[in-house]
Amino acid sequence: MSQSFIHYFLVPLVKGLLTVVLVGLAAGVLTWIERRLLGRLQIRKGPNRVGPQGFFQWIADTIKLLFKEDIVPSRAEKALHLLGPLLLFTPAVVVLGLVPWGPNVTLFGVTTPLHAAADLNVALLLILAVSTIGVYGIILSGWASNSKYPLLGGLRAAAQLISYEVPMGLAVVSAILMSGSLSMVEIIEAQRKAGVWFVFPGLIAFFLYFVSGVAETNRTPFDLPEAESELVGGFHTEYSGFRWAVFFMSEYGNMISISAVATTLFFGGWLRPFPNVAWLGFLDVVPAFFWFAGKVFLFLLVYIWFRATFPRYRFDQLMALGWKTLIPISLGNLVLVAIAVLWGAAGLKVLGAVLVLLVAAGFFAVWRRPARPRTSTTMAATNVEVRA
Amino acid sequence: MSFLDRILLLDIFGGLRVTATHAARKADTVEYPEQCKEPSERFRGMFRLDEERCIKCTLCAIECPINIIYIDWHTEKTPEGKAEKKLDRFDLDMKRCMFCGLCEEACPTNPRSIWLATKTYELGVYERNEALYLDKSKLTKWDANVKPYPGVDPDKAPVNPAKEK
């Protein structure tokens, strides 16, 4: 085999397939993690019957979904009904392919960046463009189902995702300002050069990005397009079987890609903590990919944590939060970051220190506040009898 | 909510702290088929009848708001020449019972002759018409249809722990 065949066909194919398979597998495992963790946070156990700690539950669910009848409503727009889930799933995978997972690796004599797509110089722009396409999947599947609840869900998704695209874009702009580049690899390298992760000077930007990201992925507290209790599942009401599973996978795929982009922009991607501090060099034994994966995983845990904590917003509250709060804050933050960048190298560090101190004061205030009294359960778990 | 609270989103972080502390708590749920929780003392579950205590006054049947108790008795002469009531039938259509406990309150004997505080709540059956139509023998003895609560000995005569004086 010639070198060009390997480099321009085989390696991208393997990396692309790896990304798609990884998103599917991760979505499956994440359902298990989510259900177990939600159980822990709600003082119950979660699935624990199938396999050790219920781990094979997601495999059982997958098998069930694969063999379920694929029902298409008779008056539905058949082609668009099929296109909807695919339009939602593809951007999630593409975005994950554009995010670098690690520096160059050498496997079977081939050296290649651990990065499904090439290191584009406009990767961030492409990510924003592609991830916005996902909303078409929701709108189209809502409309193509020819049913009332999905249509309402699709309309909600349209309004919500377009609104939250704005603060998300502005939050990303501050990361671009700090790094001076749209290339994901160069953003990571800029964080190595600056000596700080951009999360410290870009604390507000990161917060805005993550909140908008939760809204973009339709997760609680922003799950209005699905809104199980209001819209009976929203845009995917008329879907079943594997088409529904694709929606499910793309929700988790979108979560992963939002987390991956947040990791890259604000948490130094595959860099270890404090990449410039020499005495922390022992942390380099952990391969770069695992730093990246660990950070992404932490973000996913925060997603689940949010779901366990917050009730759903009303729609006008959602719009008010997006337009009246997040967008003004993101504009102000942009000015703040721009001034810090103009100041020079020290500017980022000073801004980061000020913001971290403010947040520390905030957490201190929470810590000083008296906790609510614990509610006791009438049927205490101490009275459990074990049958022979 | 003060201005500082709103800026720093203290309520949001406070809420997150509440759920995070719950993660450290032991789960309140139990592995049900293998383990089960003890119901409270006043929990109304499976019926029990003590035939010897019962004076066949039929007050429970009269008090029952949906008339699911049917009692039939006849009189016998004891060797001492006293007339004594003997139970022929004591039927209770449990599938219609709403566990109001009025029959137990109406019972004049002390301790009560009919009671619901057996802590037995596993009343699921496959044939409810037969299994949940309790006659005298089913009311006085645990049978295969209904699992007694783990502390209850299925072979012994039914005891009334809450009402024993």
Side-chain angles (χ1 to χ4, degrees):
Chain A
M1 275 188 288
S2 67
Q3 280 296 312
S4 62
F5 177 75
I6 291 177
H7 277 282
Y8 293 112
F9 183 75
L10 207 59
V11 170
L13 185 72
V14 168
K15 287 198 285 194
L17 280 178
L18 200 70
T19 312
V20 177
V21 170
L22 212 67
V23 170
L25 280 181
V29 177
L30 267 176
T31 59
W32 172 73
I33 293 172
E34 169 151 28
R35 292 179 65 187
R36 290 292 294 185
L37 187 63
L38 273 183
R40 292 301 321 147
L41 294 172
Q42 294 167 354
I43 333 177
R44 58 189 172 83
K45 289 187 176 173
N48 59 355
R49 286 284 157 165
V50 193
Q53 298 291 309
F55 179 74
F56 297 129
Q57 185 71 51
W58 70 273
I59 297 175
D61 286 345
T62 310
I63 293 170
K64 184 204 82 170
L65 284 171
L66 279 175
F67 286 100
K68 231 175 142 177
E69 189 187 352
D70 185 23
I71 300 168
V72 181
S74 56
R75 305 287 292 275
E77 196 78 31
K78 298 276 183 315
L80 293 181
H81 192 264
L82 175 64
L83 190 65
L86 300 180
L87 261 184
L88 193 55
F89 184 64
T90 317
V93 180
V94 171
V95 169
L96 205 59
L98 287 165
V99 175
W101 299 357
N104 284 1
V105 286
T106 306
L107 272 180
F108 309 115
V110 181
T111 304
T112 177
L114 198 56
H115 190 178
D119 174 24
L120 286 180
N121 53 0
V122 288
L124 198 48
L125 204 60
L126 191 60
I127 284 172
L128 282 178
V130 168
S131 64
T132 315
I133 290 176
V135 68
Y136 284 101
I138 296 182
I139 298 171
L140 281 183
S141 54
W143 179 77
S145 299
N146 200 356
S147 168
K148 288 167 191 72
Y149 285 129
L151 184 63
L152 283 171
L155 290 176
R156 281 182 174 193
Q160 171 179 337
L161 270 69
I162 289 167
S163 307
Y164 279 81
E165 201 71 41
V166 182
M168 181 184 239
L170 289 172
V172 166
V173 167
S174 55
I176 300 171
L177 272 181
M178 286 185 278
S179 63
S181 170
L182 281 166
S183 150
M184 298 300 261
V185 175
E186 275 178 38
I187 289 173
I188 294 174
E189 289 303 328
Q191 297 184 52
R192 192 204 292 278
K193 227 174 284 167
V196 284
W197 287 354
F198 286 161
V199 66
F200 299 115
L203 197 62
I204 303 168
F206 164 68
F207 174 76
L208 291 168
Y209 181 83
F210 196 69
V211 171
S212 321
V214 175
E216 292 273 304
T217 46
N218 304 324
R219 296 274 305 178
T220 7
F222 304 107
D223 61 340
L224 283 109
E226 298 179 31
E228 189 121 48
S229 47
E230 301 164 28
L231 297 183
V232 213
F235 59 89
H236 57 60
T237 305
E238 302 291 351
Y239 282 83
S240 67
F242 195 64
R243 294 181 191 201
W244 188 84
V246 172
F247 271 132
F248 203 68
M249 278 185 341
S250 42
E251 181 183 328
Y252 284 94
N254 276 321
M255 276 164 66
I256 297 170
S257 54
I258 291 281
S259 308
V261 174
T263 304
T264 311
L265 295 188
F266 298 106
F267 281 80
W270 35 262
L271 297 178
R272 66 174 162 84
F274 304 104
N276 286 355
V277 182
W279 61 269
L280 281 169
F282 65 91
L283 288 173
D284 281 333
V285 278
V286 182
F289 170 74
F290 289 101
W291 282 116
F292 173 74
K295 289 172 197 172
V296 171
F297 184 67
L298 279 183
F299 281 123
L300 294 171
L301 292 187
V302 173
Y303 262 102
I304 298 168
W305 190 10
F306 276 15
R307 182 174 165 189
T309 307
F310 301 125
R312 187 183 307 131
Y313 275 104
R314 225 190 311 135
F315 201 78
D316 63 315
Q317 292 172 331
L318 177 92
M319 284 292 140
L321 179 70
W323 289 98
K324 292 184 190 165
T325 312
L326 292 188
I327 292 178
I329 291 177
S330 60
L331 285 170
N333 173 55
L334 204 57
V335 175
L336 204 65
V337 172
I339 292 170
V341 170
L342 272 182
W343 189 354
L348 290 183
K349 286 184 177 163
V350 170
L351 180 60
V354 168
L355 287 174
V356 168
L357 280 177
L358 278 178
V359 170
F363 275 108
F364 185 67
V366 173
W367 178 62
R368 288 288 300 277
R369 191 172 285 182
R372 273 183 216 137
R374 266 195 183 182
T375 49
S376 66
T377 43
T378 45
M379 286 172 106
T382 46
N383 297 343
V384 175
E385 298 218 10
V386 181
R387 285 183 183 147
Chain B
M1 216 163 39
S2 75
F3 179 69
L4 195 71
D5 278 23
R6 295 176 68 140
I7 290 294
L8 291 169
L9 302 171
L10 292 193
D11 280 355
I12 299 263
F13 287 114
L16 286 172
R17 187 180 66 158
V18 168
T19 38
T21 49
H22 279 191
R25 274 170 70 173
K26 196 176 176 297
D28 273 0
T29 44
V30 295
E31 301 284 330
Y32 169 60
E34 292 90 28
Q35 306 169 341
C36 57
K37 281 187 176 179
E38 187 182 348
S40 66
E41 284 298 314
R42 300 190 304 167
F43 180 83
R44 295 174 194 158
M46 181 65 177
F47 275 95
R48 288 291 91 175
L49 173 75
D50 192 328
E51 202 184 334
E52 288 181 16
R53 280 187 221 146
C54 179
I55 57 170
K56 292 89 186 171
C57 64
T58 72
L59 275 178
C60 52
I62 294 166
E63 195 68 33
C64 180
I66 46 178
N67 296 328
I68 58 169
I69 302 178
Y70 175 81
I71 300 172
D72 207 357
W73 47 270
H74 67 272
T75 333
E76 268 181 17
K77 286 270 184 221
T78 54
E80 297 92 56
K82 280 165 77 178
E84 194 179 87
K85 287 177 181 172
K86 285 279 175 199
L87 265 186
D88 289 332
R89 287 176 68 187
F90 195 108
D91 295 359
L92 202 150
D93 191 3
M94 191 147 178
K95 68 174 184 290
R96 288 169 55 206
C97 179
M98 56 183 172
F99 302 94
C100 63
L102 286 177
C103 51
E104 187 180 330
E105 276 176 33
C107 188
T109 66
N110 192 10
R112 305 276 157 83
S113 314
I114 184 162
W115 69 98
L116 295 88
T118 54
K119 297 193 180 182
T120 298
Y121 50 83
E122 290 168 323
L123 305 176
V125 287
Y126 287 103
E127 292 290 332
R128 63 178 197 146
N129 279 341
E130 282 185 25
L132 288 184
Y133 193 85
L134 308 174
D135 59 10
K136 198 171 68 179
S137 66
K138 279 184 179 173
L139 275 171
T140 47
K141 212 170 122 286
W142 299 101
D143 68 335
N145 277 324
V146 178
K147 266 192 269 178
Y149 185 74
V152 179
D153 187 347
D155 296 326
K156 269 195 194 150
V159 288
N160 191 348
K163 298 291 188 295
E164 214 85 58
K165 293 273 155 67

